[in-house]
Amino acid sequence: MDAAEKRVRTFARVKPTADFAQDMIKFGPDNKSIDIYIKKDARKGVVNNRQTDWSFRLDGVLHNTSQELAYETVAEKLVSDALLGYNGTIMCYGQTGAGKTYTMTGATAEYKHRGIIPRAIQQVFKAIARSVDSFITVRVSYLEIYNETLCDLLATTTNSGTGDVQMAVVDCPRGVYVKGLSLHSVSHEEDALNLLFEGETNRVIAEHSLSKNSSRSHCIFTIYIESRCRAFSDVRCINSKINLIDLAGSERLSKTGSEGQVLKEASYINKSLSFLEQIVIALADPKRDHIPFRQSKLTHVLKDSLGGKCNTVLVANICGEALHVEETLSSLRFATRMKWITTEPVINVTCDPEETVRALEKEIVLLKQELAMHNNLANRSLVTYDPLTDVQIAEIKSQIHKYLQGAIDEIEITNVRQVQEVFKQFKLIVREQEHEVEARLRSKYALIDKNDFATIAAAQKAGVVDVDRHFLGKQHRRELGTRTTPISPKPDGKKKKSGKGSEHSKKEETRSYVSGRELEAPLLSKSQVTIPIKDLDVKERARSEDTTNIDTQPSKPASAEGSQRPSSPPSKPAAFEQFKEECGREINRIFKENKSILLARKKRSCTVARRINFIKQEMEDIKKALEAQRQERWQQGEYVDEMGHLIIDEKEFLLIMKMKDLKEEYRAAYAELQDLKAEIQYCQHLVDQCRNKLIAEFEIWYSESFLIPSYVQKALKPGGNIRPGMIPIDRVTRLEEDEQERFERLQELELPAGPESASFYKAKMKQDQRHTYARAMSSLGQMQKKPGHIAAARSKAPRSLLVT
């Protein structure tokens, strides 16, 4: 068998029973083989050539295994491959009552008894939560095949009207799908489990001699996974699906004695399973050209799962009792045949046709523009339609610098790509100039974030800005009594006596200040304001003076301080300034140190970046000079020495050595720039962390100092039982936690399997509530038909269920 070729993996799961026939069924030491022995029937005489022993080799035998171990053995790898783009199918096959539904769906009574489907859903959403590079969308569907009729088990949960559409199996180039089957998008594990439990309640089941809740139909639960890379989310897409199939149980009519509707269902089930076995035999035969998939609805739906490019796993559920040995042999024979089916799984990668068309249309437009320009400029040199080379880009950049310096009057247009590169280079030049202007402004002005309460409060205290965070002119600050240094002093110190003259000088003064603002405005973000550095010095002096005044004032008694508490809380900027000088002094100091280190690293990074750009420009100039030297040497003739080495002149040698030195310098500067970027990122993280810590501590201090009630304030005093920082603000300023929310939170902590089982139990609780409500409504509807019993029914029904 070829190494790239794969086969269907088959497992046998033995139903645990007290009457296990140990003398008839033996398992191999490696748990991959089953041997069955039957004693000869003495009643058939001495000559009896009937076979009495069988041996079956599978990929694994699950005997007395838990649901978790069964999932890890059968489905975990298949689901992991499905997340990578491979289709997967898991199918449970066996006689009625052998445990197929328990293996596939499990029991909802306890979390540990979950089956393959709930565990696969959990694995998918856990992988989505860990995924960073991909954007994954999940959809589910639930199909039932009952008496050769397709039914949508989730049709009642949608309002799209798909339940009225005639369902049919359709072949298409991308595979087989069921027309009219509803697909439901799910974003959480709980949503998918809700749909699973809702579909389980709509399945057709009946009481049977071998099982009280026997499934009378084939059910296929499908998980559709669509993964898009965040970097290429518009075009590339990976699609995969996981078919989880719970087949109806095969049964011998002579043994079970089924009658009526159960007999009719059994005949349809056995017929479809017989067709399925014929498909398996045909697929295992390499000489067969035609596979009759259309014989039944089940085989048609499973066309991709059996004969397609799909990872397929079969679980043969068998009974270990001697009474059912014939059905056990039949199931194991089917598993052996399935093992010989070969598959070739591939990743399902598709490209969005709409985005592909848009990209091609854009390319066509560009090529048309190139051709039109070539026709218009036919008298010039031949137009190239290839992307620009590094030499051409360097030439364009040189022409732009000459154009800006006035050396040339215009730039000759050759093609569209050249025009685009010209605009790109202009944009880079403008950006460099903006950075230079911003650097010059930073040397004269300080930028303040509007969300930085501390600096805003200091600026207000210094009289630089007003309460509404608007800048105050020099005249306004004089009126407020703030002594500041003029922003732009005038050499002319003459005084204007008339009012008109004073107004004129005031306008001139304001205009000079605004002109500086107009120069700076395009370069600053809306969340930043500027304050002259001189005003910041005044602010620091004012702060130090206030601190000195506070230290020289005599201390007041605590009672007087409490009596002077303001009736309304102060503004947050002023309170933040007070907090920084008192409780948050240490955090504020660390914050300032980290901020200064970050600023130093950024300045160094800008210097290194400018140096790198200068080196690159110098390397481009040397490269052009070397090219000119080589052209001149080639025209004049090249000379070689006795050893055959090329002889070059001293000028070219010096250029080569200088280019070598520049390359080494460039590498060193680039390495330093990368290190600086890493340091800046780390320092920025520290600054943000300190800022968040400072603001969080301030919010707690502000709330406990000014917002909490008076009786709680008494407990916060030195003699009280509560110290500051112990009272959460949400317990003071908001209502208490809702009882239902508290119950759900405690329930998640007390669940048997921890928080991971919360989605499972929540979905189960919602399903139980729907069942209770449906039963109550049904009984209430029956009671309403009898007027004499309506009052009694209302008195017994829960209050929340009384709906008229």
Side-chain angles (χ1 to χ4, degrees), residues 404-439:
L404 293 176
Q405 294 171 3
I408 58 176
D409 295 334
E410 61 181 12
I411 298 175
E412 183 180 0
I413 297 176
T414 58
N415 53 34
V416 175
R417 296 183 188 274
Q418 184 243 2
V419 174
Q420 293 176 347
E421 184 64 28
V422 167
F423 280 102
K424 180 180 177 181
Q425 294 297 332
F426 272 120
K427 185 186 294 185
L428 292 176
I429 293 174
V430 171
R431 192 173 299 169
E432 290 177 0
Q433 291 180 352
E434 288 179 353
H435 290 325
E436 292 177 0
V437 173
E438 184 177 357

Side-chain angles (χ1 to χ4, degrees), residues 752-804:
E756 290 186 356
S757 60
S759 300
F760 178 82
Y761 282 112
K762 285 181 180 179
K764 180 179 178 297
M765 182 177 62
K766 290 181 181 180
Q767 185 63 22
D768 294 341
Q769 291 175 353
R770 285 195 293 266
H771 287 172
T772 304
Y773 181 79
R775 286 196 298 268
M777 290 296 99
S778 178
S779 60
L780 182 60
Q782 293 178 0
M783 289 298 180
Q784 286 179 346
K785 296 179 181 179
K786 301 177 182 180
H789 297 282
I790 293 178
R794 288 180 179 274
S795 63
K796 294 180 181 179
R799 181 176 299 176
S800 61
L801 300 179
L802 295 180
V803 180
T804 58

Side-chain angles (χ1 to χ4, degrees), residues 82-151:
L83 291 167
L84 298 177
Y86 295 96
N87 290 337
T89 298
I90 302 176
M91 183 164 48
C92 287
Y93 178 91
Q95 73 176 101
T96 300
K100 298 181 300 300
T101 302
Y102 178 76
T103 301
M104 187 58 65
T105 306
T108 59
E110 293 187 24
Y111 180 71
K112 64 180 181 180
H113 292 158
R114 296 169 301 146
I116 292 177
I117 299 178
R119 293 176 187 270
I121 291 172
Q122 186 182 59
Q123 182 179 350
V124 169
F125 281 99
K126 278 187 176 180
I128 293 174
R130 294 191 300 265
S131 177
V132 178
D133 299 331
S134 301
F135 179 75
I136 302 176
T137 305
V138 181
R139 295 178 297 170
V140 298
S141 66
Y142 210 167
L143 174 67
E144 181 184 47
I145 304 177
Y146 174 69
N147 292 349
E148 283 299 299
T149 303
L150 301 175
C151 304

Side-chain angles (χ1 to χ4, degrees), residues 442-454:
R442 284 181 181 274
S443 63
K444 185 178 180 181
Y445 295 94
L447 304 182
I448 299 178
D449 192 346
K450 290 185 178 180
N451 297 323
D452 192 351
F453 297 139

Side-chain angles (χ1 to χ4, degrees), residues 179 188 191 291 325 328 386 420 442 455 547 562 622 691 724 748 751 781 786 789:
K179 180 181 179 181
H188 301 283
D191 300 337
I291 309 298
V325 67
T328 299
D386 298 329
Q420 293 176 347
R442 284 181 181 274
T455 311
T547 306
I622 294 176
R691 182 185 291 109
E748 291 184 6
L751 288 175
K786 301 177 182 180
H789 297 282

Side-chain angles (χ1 to χ4, degrees), residues 125-190:
F125 281 99
K126 278 187 176 180
I128 293 174
R130 294 191 300 265
S131 177
V132 178
D133 299 331
S134 301
F135 179 75
I136 302 176
T137 305
V138 181
R139 295 178 297 170
V140 298
S141 66
Y142 210 167
L143 174 67
E144 181 184 47
I145 304 177
Y146 174 69
N147 292 349
E148 283 299 299
T149 303
L150 301 175
C151 304
D152 187 0
L153 294 177
L154 301 179
T156 57
T157 62
T158 182
N159 297 324
S160 60
T162 57
D164 299 333
V165 179
Q166 185 67 28
M167 300 180 64
V169 184
V170 179
D171 285 303
C172 67
R174 296 181 60 182
V176 176
Y177 74 97
V178 180
K179 180 181 179 181
L181 182 64
S182 60
L183 302 180
H184 301 262
S185 297
V186 289
S187 55
H188 301 283
E189 178 186 353
E190 183 181 347

Side-chain angles (χ1 to χ4, degrees), residues 478-529:
R478 288 176 180 175
E479 293 175 359
L480 293 175
T482 305
R483 294 173 297 172
T484 60
T485 305
I487 298 174
S488 53
K490 303 285 185 177
D492 186 8
K494 296 181 180 180
K495 297 182 181 179
K496 303 291 182 178
K497 295 182 180 181
S498 63
K500 186 174 181 180
S502 62
E503 290 179 1
H504 179 72
S505 63
K506 184 176 179 180
K507 290 181 180 179
E508 291 293 334
E509 180 180 318
T510 305
R511 186 181 299 112
S512 65
Y513 180 74
V514 171
S515 63
R517 296 263 303 165
E518 290 175 352
L519 175 63
E520 181 187 9
L523 302 174
L524 302 179
S525 61
K526 295 183 179 179
S527 61
Q528 293 179 336
V529 295

